Amino acid sequence: MNGQELCKRLLTMAIVLLGVSLLTYGLIFITPGDPARTILTQQMGGQIPSQEAVEQFRAENGLDDPFLVQYARWMGDVLQGDLGQSYYSDRSVSEMIIQRLPNTIALAVASMFVALVIAIPAGIASARNPGSQADYAAQIGSLIGVSMPNFWLGYLLIIVCSLRLNLFPVAGAAGLEHLILPSLTLGSGMAAVIARLVRTAMLDVLDDAYIQAARSKGLRERIIVYKHALRNALVPVVTIIGLQLSYVLNGAVVIEVVFQRPGLGTLLVDAIFARDYPVVQGVTLLIGAIFVVMNFAVDLTYSRLDPRIDIGGDLT
């Protein structure tokens, strides 16, 4: 990728993030309800705040200004690295995100690890023996994994593994044992999607002429599959893995709530219910930035797996 292409991609990423921030800010702005009155009521333990207190809160936080003025002020602060202060806890939004981010990253990495460990061997075994019992078992397992809602599987694992068998804790994020059930819940759905794609990609590659030529030369099947076929089959798989990372972030919101895991998902949900708009805007902008960066990383991975593909995704 030359300098001109890099500048073009960075400009595109900046425009996308600007659009995400503007859309998020606009949706929050038109949301019914008065955040000043809601937050003051929560801070006063359910008592109705006075009109003077509500007006003072609005003036201090600029909530009486027009939409574009509020958005321009917020974006100006963001460009200087300041995501603002939480209305509810009076803490820095950046500080709250930094505190919760490691738990969400750990969940995302563990879930993707679970998905790949299950999906790639299952997809390869299914493609090497199409029509066999192993193939049917893998396809049925994939269908169940795709069809099963995450929250339902999460509650099922809690009932069986935590409440009945007492193998793992129900909630929290204090150690590795708290990560097993959430990562299994989130990773199983991704494994089902990736396994089906690995199977399809491997079936296509194994029928190619260069694979038949390798077999005619007497190469061992294991070398043909894992050294020659799998590398080419991974190109479309990388695409779906990149897309699945967005699924991880979306799914983490539900999974973190189910397992009461303190991460970005629970932070976002709590902020929405508390009308803590700076936190909602900060977390949403961060998730949008992660999406954009991951898509860029997927494009770069294409060219590493297949040198014929340029950064734009075209075959050269």
PDB file of all heavy atoms in Angstrom, residues 243-278:
ATOM      1  N   LEU A 243     -15.665  -9.804  10.352  1.00  0.00           N
ATOM      2  CA  LEU A 243     -17.056  -9.435  10.598  1.00  0.00           C
ATOM      3  C   LEU A 243     -17.529  -9.977  11.944  1.00  0.00           C
ATOM      4  O   LEU A 243     -18.339  -9.349  12.629  1.00  0.00           O
ATOM      5  CB  LEU A 243     -17.950  -9.956   9.475  1.00  0.00           C
ATOM      6  CG  LEU A 243     -17.687  -9.361   8.094  1.00  0.00           C
ATOM      7  CD1 LEU A 243     -18.542 -10.058   7.038  1.00  0.00           C
ATOM      8  CD2 LEU A 243     -17.962  -7.867   8.087  1.00  0.00           C
ATOM      9  N   GLN A 244     -17.040 -11.155  12.302  1.00  0.00           N
ATOM     10  CA  GLN A 244     -17.454 -11.751  13.572  1.00  0.00           C
ATOM     11  C   GLN A 244     -16.945 -10.958  14.775  1.00  0.00           C
ATOM     12  O   GLN A 244     -17.505 -11.035  15.860  1.00  0.00           O
ATOM     13  CB  GLN A 244     -16.951 -13.194  13.659  1.00  0.00           C
ATOM     14  CG  GLN A 244     -17.699 -14.160  12.765  1.00  0.00           C
ATOM     15  CD  GLN A 244     -19.150 -14.294  13.172  1.00  0.00           C
ATOM     16  OE1 GLN A 244     -19.450 -14.694  14.276  1.00  0.00           O
ATOM     17  NE2 GLN A 244     -20.056 -13.960  12.276  1.00  0.00           N
ATOM     18  N   LEU A 245     -15.862 -10.194  14.581  1.00  0.00           N
ATOM     19  CA  LEU A 245     -15.378  -9.367  15.677  1.00  0.00           C
ATOM     20  C   LEU A 245     -16.414  -8.307  16.053  1.00  0.00           C
ATOM     21  O   LEU A 245     -16.545  -7.940  17.219  1.00  0.00           O
ATOM     22  CB  LEU A 245     -14.050  -8.712  15.281  1.00  0.00           C
ATOM     23  CG  LEU A 245     -12.855  -9.673  15.283  1.00  0.00           C
ATOM     24  CD1 LEU A 245     -11.627  -8.985  14.712  1.00  0.00           C
ATOM     25  CD2 LEU A 245     -12.559 -10.167  16.698  1.00  0.00           C
ATOM     26  N   SER A 246     -17.127  -7.807  15.053  1.00  0.00           N
ATOM     27  CA  SER A 246     -18.222  -6.891  15.366  1.00  0.00           C
ATOM     28  C   SER A 246     -19.324  -7.626  16.110  1.00  0.00           C
ATOM     29  O   SER A 246     -19.968  -7.077  17.010  1.00  0.00           O
ATOM     30  CB  SER A 246     -18.783  -6.257  14.096  1.00  0.00           C
ATOM     31  OG  SER A 246     -19.317  -7.239  13.243  1.00  0.00           O
ATOM     32  N   TYR A 247     -19.522  -8.913  15.750  1.00  0.00           N
ATOM     33  CA  TYR A 247     -20.498  -9.736  16.468  1.00  0.00           C
ATOM     34  C   TYR A 247     -20.073  -9.901  17.928  1.00  0.00           C
ATOM     35  O   TYR A 247     -20.911  -9.907  18.836  1.00  0.00           O
ATOM     36  CB  TYR A 247     -20.595 -11.090  15.773  1.00  0.00           C
ATOM     37  CG  TYR A 247     -21.403 -12.121  16.507  1.00  0.00           C
ATOM     38  CD1 TYR A 247     -22.783 -12.175  16.365  1.00  0.00           C
ATOM     39  CD2 TYR A 247     -20.785 -13.064  17.328  1.00  0.00           C
ATOM     40  CE1 TYR A 247     -23.518 -13.128  17.031  1.00  0.00           C
ATOM     41  CE2 TYR A 247     -21.509 -14.019  17.994  1.00  0.00           C
ATOM     42  CZ  TYR A 247     -22.883 -14.052  17.842  1.00  0.00           C
ATOM     43  OH  TYR A 247     -23.602 -14.995  18.508  1.00  0.00           O
ATOM     44  N   VAL A 248     -18.757 -10.022  18.150  1.00  0.00           N
ATOM     45  CA  VAL A 248     -18.254 -10.161  19.520  1.00  0.00           C
ATOM     46  C   VAL A 248     -18.635  -8.944  20.351  1.00  0.00           C
ATOM     47  O   VAL A 248     -19.126  -9.053  21.472  1.00  0.00           O
ATOM     48  CB  VAL A 248     -16.726 -10.342  19.508  1.00  0.00           C
ATOM     49  CG1 VAL A 248     -16.171 -10.228  20.925  1.00  0.00           C
ATOM     50  CG2 VAL A 248     -16.364 -11.691  18.933  1.00  0.00           C
ATOM     51  N   LEU A 249     -18.428  -7.743  19.795  1.00  0.00           N
ATOM     52  CA  LEU A 249     -18.720  -6.522  20.540  1.00  0.00           C
ATOM     53  C   LEU A 249     -20.215  -6.374  20.790  1.00  0.00           C
ATOM     54  O   LEU A 249     -20.649  -5.987  21.878  1.00  0.00           O
ATOM     55  CB  LEU A 249     -18.178  -5.316  19.792  1.00  0.00           C
ATOM     56  CG  LEU A 249     -16.649  -5.244  19.714  1.00  0.00           C
ATOM     57  CD1 LEU A 249     -16.216  -4.085  18.845  1.00  0.00           C
ATOM     58  CD2 LEU A 249     -16.035  -5.130  21.095  1.00  0.00           C
ATOM     59  N   ASN A 250     -21.009  -6.697  19.756  1.00  0.00           N
ATOM     60  CA  ASN A 250     -22.455  -6.623  19.949  1.00  0.00           C
ATOM     61  C   ASN A 250     -22.923  -7.674  20.949  1.00  0.00           C
ATOM     62  O   ASN A 250     -23.749  -7.403  21.831  1.00  0.00           O
ATOM     63  CB  ASN A 250     -23.184  -6.822  18.620  1.00  0.00           C
ATOM     64  CG  ASN A 250     -22.995  -5.643  17.690  1.00  0.00           C
ATOM     65  OD1 ASN A 250     -22.823  -4.513  18.142  1.00  0.00           O
ATOM     66  ND2 ASN A 250     -23.001  -5.891  16.393  1.00  0.00           N
ATOM     67  N   GLY A 251     -22.384  -8.899  20.786  1.00  0.00           N
ATOM     68  CA  GLY A 251     -22.786  -9.963  21.680  1.00  0.00           C
ATOM     69  C   GLY A 251     -22.291  -9.761  23.098  1.00  0.00           C
ATOM     70  O   GLY A 251     -22.919 -10.216  24.053  1.00  0.00           O
ATOM     71  N   ALA A 252     -21.158  -9.058  23.242  1.00  0.00           N
ATOM     72  CA  ALA A 252     -20.612  -8.827  24.580  1.00  0.00           C
ATOM     73  C   ALA A 252     -21.562  -8.009  25.431  1.00  0.00           C
ATOM     74  O   ALA A 252     -21.596  -8.169  26.652  1.00  0.00           O
ATOM     75  CB  ALA A 252     -19.263  -8.119  24.478  1.00  0.00           C
ATOM     76  N   VAL A 253     -22.353  -7.144  24.800  1.00  0.00           N
ATOM     77  CA  VAL A 253     -23.317  -6.343  25.553  1.00  0.00           C
ATOM     78  C   VAL A 253     -24.297  -7.268  26.265  1.00  0.00           C
ATOM     79  O   VAL A 253     -24.570  -7.117  27.465  1.00  0.00           O
ATOM     80  CB  VAL A 253     -24.075  -5.374  24.622  1.00  0.00           C
ATOM     81  CG1 VAL A 253     -25.152  -4.630  25.385  1.00  0.00           C
ATOM     82  CG2 VAL A 253     -23.094  -4.390  23.984  1.00  0.00           C
ATOM     83  N   VAL A 254     -24.813  -8.265  25.522  1.00  0.00           N
ATOM     84  CA  VAL A 254     -25.783  -9.204  26.103  1.00  0.00           C
ATOM     85  C   VAL A 254     -25.100 -10.143  27.096  1.00  0.00           C
ATOM     86  O   VAL A 254     -25.592 -10.349  28.218  1.00  0.00           O
ATOM     87  CB  VAL A 254     -26.468 -10.011  24.978  1.00  0.00           C
ATOM     88  CG1 VAL A 254     -27.436 -11.032  25.563  1.00  0.00           C
ATOM     89  CG2 VAL A 254     -27.183  -9.076  24.014  1.00  0.00           C
ATOM     90  N   ILE A 255     -23.960 -10.684  26.693  1.00  0.00           N
ATOM     91  CA  ILE A 255     -23.291 -11.678  27.544  1.00  0.00           C
ATOM     92  C   ILE A 255     -22.831 -11.053  28.858  1.00  0.00           C
ATOM     93  O   ILE A 255     -22.920 -11.674  29.926  1.00  0.00           O
ATOM     94  CB  ILE A 255     -22.099 -12.297  26.790  1.00  0.00           C
ATOM     95  CG1 ILE A 255     -22.607 -13.007  25.533  1.00  0.00           C
ATOM     96  CG2 ILE A 255     -21.346 -13.268  27.677  1.00  0.00           C
ATOM     97  CD1 ILE A 255     -23.660 -14.044  25.796  1.00  0.00           C
ATOM     98  N   GLU A 256     -22.312  -9.829  28.794  1.00  0.00           N
ATOM     99  CA  GLU A 256     -21.852  -9.184  30.022  1.00  0.00           C
ATOM    100  C   GLU A 256     -23.022  -8.897  30.967  1.00  0.00           C
ATOM    101  O   GLU A 256     -22.857  -8.934  32.182  1.00  0.00           O
ATOM    102  CB  GLU A 256     -21.108  -7.897  29.682  1.00  0.00           C
ATOM    103  CG  GLU A 256     -19.721  -8.144  29.076  1.00  0.00           C
ATOM    104  CD  GLU A 256     -19.004  -6.869  28.698  1.00  0.00           C
ATOM    105  OE1 GLU A 256     -19.606  -5.785  28.829  1.00  0.00           O
ATOM    106  OE2 GLU A 256     -17.852  -6.962  28.255  1.00  0.00           O
ATOM    107  N   VAL A 257     -24.181  -8.625  30.414  1.00  0.00           N
ATOM    108  CA  VAL A 257     -25.358  -8.422  31.258  1.00  0.00           C
ATOM    109  C   VAL A 257     -25.803  -9.747  31.872  1.00  0.00           C
ATOM    110  O   VAL A 257     -26.117  -9.822  33.062  1.00  0.00           O
ATOM    111  CB  VAL A 257     -26.497  -7.781  30.449  1.00  0.00           C
ATOM    112  CG1 VAL A 257     -27.794  -7.758  31.254  1.00  0.00           C
ATOM    113  CG2 VAL A 257     -26.132  -6.365  30.029  1.00  0.00           C
ATOM    114  N   VAL A 258     -25.810 -10.821  31.054  1.00  0.00           N
ATOM    115  CA  VAL A 258     -26.237 -12.133  31.556  1.00  0.00           C
ATOM    116  C   VAL A 258     -25.344 -12.605  32.702  1.00  0.00           C
ATOM    117  O   VAL A 258     -25.816 -13.081  33.735  1.00  0.00           O
ATOM    118  CB  VAL A 258     -26.236 -13.162  30.405  1.00  0.00           C
ATOM    119  CG1 VAL A 258     -26.427 -14.584  30.954  1.00  0.00           C
ATOM    120  CG2 VAL A 258     -27.329 -12.844  29.398  1.00  0.00           C
ATOM    121  N   PHE A 259     -24.021 -12.448  32.522  1.00  0.00           N
ATOM    122  CA  PHE A 259     -23.074 -12.933  33.530  1.00  0.00           C
ATOM    123  C   PHE A 259     -22.639 -11.833  34.488  1.00  0.00           C
ATOM    124  O   PHE A 259     -21.722 -12.054  35.277  1.00  0.00           O
ATOM    125  CB  PHE A 259     -21.845 -13.532  32.837  1.00  0.00           C
ATOM    126  CG  PHE A 259     -22.125 -14.846  32.143  1.00  0.00           C
ATOM    127  CD1 PHE A 259     -22.461 -14.879  30.800  1.00  0.00           C
ATOM    128  CD2 PHE A 259     -22.089 -16.037  32.843  1.00  0.00           C
ATOM    129  CE1 PHE A 259     -22.730 -16.073  30.149  1.00  0.00           C
ATOM    130  CE2 PHE A 259     -22.359 -17.234  32.211  1.00  0.00           C
ATOM    131  CZ  PHE A 259     -22.682 -17.260  30.863  1.00  0.00           C
ATOM    132  N   GLN A 260     -23.294 -10.655  34.402  1.00  0.00           N
ATOM    133  CA  GLN A 260     -22.940  -9.517  35.283  1.00  0.00           C
ATOM    134  C   GLN A 260     -21.437  -9.285  35.291  1.00  0.00           C
ATOM    135  O   GLN A 260     -20.806  -9.141  36.350  1.00  0.00           O
ATOM    136  CB  GLN A 260     -23.453  -9.771  36.696  1.00  0.00           C
ATOM    137  CG  GLN A 260     -24.953  -9.625  36.816  1.00  0.00           C
ATOM    138  CD  GLN A 260     -25.409  -8.211  36.441  1.00  0.00           C
ATOM    139  OE1 GLN A 260     -25.052  -7.246  37.093  1.00  0.00           O
ATOM    140  NE2 GLN A 260     -26.200  -8.098  35.368  1.00  0.00           N
ATOM    141  N   ARG A 261     -20.868  -9.249  34.091  1.00  0.00           N
ATOM    142  CA  ARG A 261     -19.430  -9.054  33.919  1.00  0.00           C
ATOM    143  C   ARG A 261     -19.164  -7.575  33.676  1.00  0.00           C
ATOM    144  O   ARG A 261     -19.692  -6.993  32.723  1.00  0.00           O
ATOM    145  CB  ARG A 261     -18.953  -9.891  32.735  1.00  0.00           C
ATOM    146  CG  ARG A 261     -17.460  -9.867  32.516  1.00  0.00           C
ATOM    147  CD  ARG A 261     -17.073 -10.757  31.346  1.00  0.00           C
ATOM    148  NE  ARG A 261     -15.654 -10.634  31.074  1.00  0.00           N
ATOM    149  CZ  ARG A 261     -14.713 -11.273  31.742  1.00  0.00           C
ATOM    150  NH1 ARG A 261     -15.056 -12.091  32.697  1.00  0.00           N
ATOM    151  NH2 ARG A 261     -13.437 -11.094  31.463  1.00  0.00           N
ATOM    152  N   PRO A 262     -18.362  -6.909  34.484  1.00  0.00           N
ATOM    153  CA  PRO A 262     -18.133  -5.474  34.317  1.00  0.00           C
ATOM    154  C   PRO A 262     -17.247  -5.160  33.116  1.00  0.00           C
ATOM    155  O   PRO A 262     -16.021  -5.171  33.208  1.00  0.00           O
ATOM    156  CB  PRO A 262     -17.441  -5.079  35.630  1.00  0.00           C
ATOM    157  CG  PRO A 262     -16.779  -6.325  36.098  1.00  0.00           C
ATOM    158  CD  PRO A 262     -17.633  -7.461  35.654  1.00  0.00           C
ATOM    159  N   GLY A 263     -17.861  -4.871  31.983  1.00  0.00           N
ATOM    160  CA  GLY A 263     -17.125  -4.525  30.763  1.00  0.00           C
ATOM    161  C   GLY A 263     -17.784  -3.359  30.065  1.00  0.00           C
ATOM    162  O   GLY A 263     -18.641  -2.660  30.636  1.00  0.00           O
ATOM    163  N   LEU A 264     -17.421  -3.143  28.801  1.00  0.00           N
ATOM    164  CA  LEU A 264     -18.003  -2.029  28.058  1.00  0.00           C
ATOM    165  C   LEU A 264     -19.499  -2.222  27.830  1.00  0.00           C
ATOM    166  O   LEU A 264     -20.262  -1.256  27.771  1.00  0.00           O
ATOM    167  CB  LEU A 264     -17.297  -1.886  26.703  1.00  0.00           C
ATOM    168  CG  LEU A 264     -15.876  -1.334  26.718  1.00  0.00           C
ATOM    169  CD1 LEU A 264     -15.339  -1.207  25.297  1.00  0.00           C
ATOM    170  CD2 LEU A 264     -15.820   0.017  27.421  1.00  0.00           C
ATOM    171  N   GLY A 265     -19.922  -3.492  27.674  1.00  0.00           N
ATOM    172  CA  GLY A 265     -21.335  -3.759  27.439  1.00  0.00           C
ATOM    173  C   GLY A 265     -22.198  -3.339  28.608  1.00  0.00           C
ATOM    174  O   GLY A 265     -23.198  -2.626  28.441  1.00  0.00           O
ATOM    175  N   THR A 266     -21.830  -3.759  29.804  1.00  0.00           N
ATOM    176  CA  THR A 266     -22.618  -3.367  30.977  1.00  0.00           C
ATOM    177  C   THR A 266     -22.482  -1.872  31.244  1.00  0.00           C
ATOM    178  O   THR A 266     -23.429  -1.233  31.706  1.00  0.00           O
ATOM    179  CB  THR A 266     -22.152  -4.163  32.215  1.00  0.00           C
ATOM    180  OG1 THR A 266     -20.723  -4.103  32.299  1.00  0.00           O
ATOM    181  CG2 THR A 266     -22.588  -5.601  32.142  1.00  0.00           C
ATOM    182  N   LEU A 267     -21.311  -1.307  30.947  1.00  0.00           N
ATOM    183  CA  LEU A 267     -21.147   0.144  31.107  1.00  0.00           C
ATOM    184  C   LEU A 267     -22.101   0.899  30.184  1.00  0.00           C
ATOM    185  O   LEU A 267     -22.751   1.876  30.598  1.00  0.00           O
ATOM    186  CB  LEU A 267     -19.699   0.542  30.799  1.00  0.00           C
ATOM    187  CG  LEU A 267     -19.376   2.044  30.877  1.00  0.00           C
ATOM    188  CD1 LEU A 267     -19.574   2.552  32.299  1.00  0.00           C
ATOM    189  CD2 LEU A 267     -17.940   2.313  30.411  1.00  0.00           C
ATOM    190  N   LEU A 268     -22.225   0.415  28.930  1.00  0.00           N
ATOM    191  CA  LEU A 268     -23.114   1.071  27.974  1.00  0.00           C
ATOM    192  C   LEU A 268     -24.579   0.926  28.388  1.00  0.00           C
ATOM    193  O   LEU A 268     -25.346   1.904  28.353  1.00  0.00           O
ATOM    194  CB  LEU A 268     -22.896   0.472  26.578  1.00  0.00           C
ATOM    195  CG  LEU A 268     -23.752   1.035  25.446  1.00  0.00           C
ATOM    196  CD1 LEU A 268     -23.469   2.517  25.250  1.00  0.00           C
ATOM    197  CD2 LEU A 268     -23.488   0.279  24.147  1.00  0.00           C
ATOM    198  N   VAL A 269     -24.976  -0.273  28.792  1.00  0.00           N
ATOM    199  CA  VAL A 269     -26.370  -0.500  29.191  1.00  0.00           C
ATOM    200  C   VAL A 269     -26.722   0.336  30.424  1.00  0.00           C
ATOM    201  O   VAL A 269     -27.776   0.986  30.482  1.00  0.00           O
ATOM    202  CB  VAL A 269     -26.615  -2.002  29.458  1.00  0.00           C
ATOM    203  CG1 VAL A 269     -27.989  -2.225  30.075  1.00  0.00           C
ATOM    204  CG2 VAL A 269     -26.483  -2.799  28.176  1.00  0.00           C
ATOM    205  N   ASP A 270     -25.822   0.336  31.421  1.00  0.00           N
ATOM    206  CA  ASP A 270     -26.079   1.133  32.628  1.00  0.00           C
ATOM    207  C   ASP A 270     -26.185   2.620  32.288  1.00  0.00           C
ATOM    208  O   ASP A 270     -27.025   3.342  32.858  1.00  0.00           O
ATOM    209  CB  ASP A 270     -24.964   0.907  33.656  1.00  0.00           C
ATOM    210  CG  ASP A 270     -24.974  -0.497  34.224  1.00  0.00           C
ATOM    211  OD1 ASP A 270     -26.013  -1.174  34.089  1.00  0.00           O
ATOM    212  OD2 ASP A 270     -23.940  -0.922  34.787  1.00  0.00           O
ATOM    213  N   ALA A 271     -25.326   3.085  31.370  1.00  0.00           N
ATOM    214  CA  ALA A 271     -25.343   4.508  30.998  1.00  0.00           C
ATOM    215  C   ALA A 271     -26.635   4.878  30.264  1.00  0.00           C
ATOM    216  O   ALA A 271     -27.178   5.969  30.452  1.00  0.00           O
ATOM    217  CB  ALA A 271     -24.131   4.830  30.128  1.00  0.00           C
ATOM    218  N   ILE A 272     -27.138   3.955  29.433  1.00  0.00           N
ATOM    219  CA  ILE A 272     -28.385   4.232  28.705  1.00  0.00           C
ATOM    220  C   ILE A 272     -29.548   4.375  29.684  1.00  0.00           C
ATOM    221  O   ILE A 272     -30.342   5.315  29.606  1.00  0.00           O
ATOM    222  CB  ILE A 272     -28.655   3.115  27.676  1.00  0.00           C
ATOM    223  CG1 ILE A 272     -27.632   3.177  26.544  1.00  0.00           C
ATOM    224  CG2 ILE A 272     -30.077   3.235  27.114  1.00  0.00           C
ATOM    225  CD1 ILE A 272     -27.700   2.022  25.575  1.00  0.00           C
ATOM    226  N   PHE A 273     -29.636   3.444  30.633  1.00  0.00           N
ATOM    227  CA  PHE A 273     -30.736   3.511  31.603  1.00  0.00           C
ATOM    228  C   PHE A 273     -30.606   4.715  32.533  1.00  0.00           C
ATOM    229  O   PHE A 273     -31.617   5.253  32.993  1.00  0.00           O
ATOM    230  CB  PHE A 273     -30.787   2.219  32.424  1.00  0.00           C
ATOM    231  CG  PHE A 273     -31.431   1.079  31.694  1.00  0.00           C
ATOM    232  CD1 PHE A 273     -30.675   0.001  31.260  1.00  0.00           C
ATOM    233  CD2 PHE A 273     -32.788   1.085  31.425  1.00  0.00           C
ATOM    234  CE1 PHE A 273     -31.261  -1.054  30.576  1.00  0.00           C
ATOM    235  CE2 PHE A 273     -33.389   0.039  30.739  1.00  0.00           C
ATOM    236  CZ  PHE A 273     -32.619  -1.032  30.312  1.00  0.00           C
ATOM    237  N   ALA A 274     -29.351   5.129  32.819  1.00  0.00           N
ATOM    238  CA  ALA A 274     -29.146   6.270  33.713  1.00  0.00           C
ATOM    239  C   ALA A 274     -29.165   7.597  32.964  1.00  0.00           C
ATOM    240  O   ALA A 274     -28.973   8.633  33.591  1.00  0.00           O
ATOM    241  CB  ALA A 274     -27.809   6.115  34.439  1.00  0.00           C
ATOM    242  N   ARG A 275     -29.360   7.571  31.647  1.00  0.00           N
ATOM    243  CA  ARG A 275     -29.305   8.780  30.812  1.00  0.00           C
ATOM    244  C   ARG A 275     -27.960   9.487  30.942  1.00  0.00           C
ATOM    245  O   ARG A 275     -27.903  10.718  30.909  1.00  0.00           O
ATOM    246  CB  ARG A 275     -30.438   9.740  31.182  1.00  0.00           C
ATOM    247  CG  ARG A 275     -31.825   9.159  31.052  1.00  0.00           C
ATOM    248  CD  ARG A 275     -32.145   8.871  29.598  1.00  0.00           C
ATOM    249  NE  ARG A 275     -33.483   8.321  29.446  1.00  0.00           N
ATOM    250  CZ  ARG A 275     -34.558   9.045  29.230  1.00  0.00           C
ATOM    251  NH1 ARG A 275     -34.432  10.347  29.145  1.00  0.00           N
ATOM    252  NH2 ARG A 275     -35.734   8.478  29.094  1.00  0.00           N
ATOM    253  N   ASP A 276     -26.909   8.694  31.112  1.00  0.00           N
ATOM    254  CA  ASP A 276     -25.562   9.259  31.232  1.00  0.00           C
ATOM    255  C   ASP A 276     -24.991   9.405  29.818  1.00  0.00           C
ATOM    256  O   ASP A 276     -24.171   8.595  29.359  1.00  0.00           O
ATOM    257  CB  ASP A 276     -24.702   8.329  32.094  1.00  0.00           C
ATOM    258  CG  ASP A 276     -23.507   9.049  32.672  1.00  0.00           C
ATOM    259  OD1 ASP A 276     -23.248  10.190  32.249  1.00  0.00           O
ATOM    260  OD2 ASP A 276     -22.833   8.480  33.549  1.00  0.00           O
ATOM    261  N   TYR A 277     -25.402  10.459  29.120  1.00  0.00           N
ATOM    262  CA  TYR A 277     -25.128  10.590  27.697  1.00  0.00           C
ATOM    263  C   TYR A 277     -23.645  10.678  27.342  1.00  0.00           C
ATOM    264  O   TYR A 277     -23.225  10.096  26.329  1.00  0.00           O
ATOM    265  CB  TYR A 277     -25.873  11.804  27.140  1.00  0.00           C
ATOM    266  CG  TYR A 277     -27.369  11.628  27.151  1.00  0.00           C
ATOM    267  CD1 TYR A 277     -28.223  12.711  27.045  1.00  0.00           C
ATOM    268  CD2 TYR A 277     -27.935  10.362  27.247  1.00  0.00           C
ATOM    269  CE1 TYR A 277     -29.600  12.543  27.055  1.00  0.00           C
ATOM    270  CE2 TYR A 277     -29.298  10.184  27.264  1.00  0.00           C
ATOM    271  CZ  TYR A 277     -30.136  11.282  27.163  1.00  0.00           C
ATOM    272  OH  TYR A 277     -31.498  11.119  27.175  1.00  0.00           O
ATOM    273  N   PRO A 278     -22.796  11.379  28.100  1.00  0.00           N
ATOM    274  CA  PRO A 278     -21.365  11.377  27.739  1.00  0.00           C
ATOM    275  C   PRO A 278     -20.760   9.976  27.705  1.00  0.00           C
ATOM    276  O   PRO A 278     -19.922   9.683  26.848  1.00  0.00           O
ATOM    277  CB  PRO A 278     -20.733  12.241  28.839  1.00  0.00           C
ATOM    278  CG  PRO A 278     -21.831  13.133  29.296  1.00  0.00           C
ATOM    279  CD  PRO A 278     -23.071  12.305  29.210  1.00  0.00           C
TER     280      PRO A 278
END
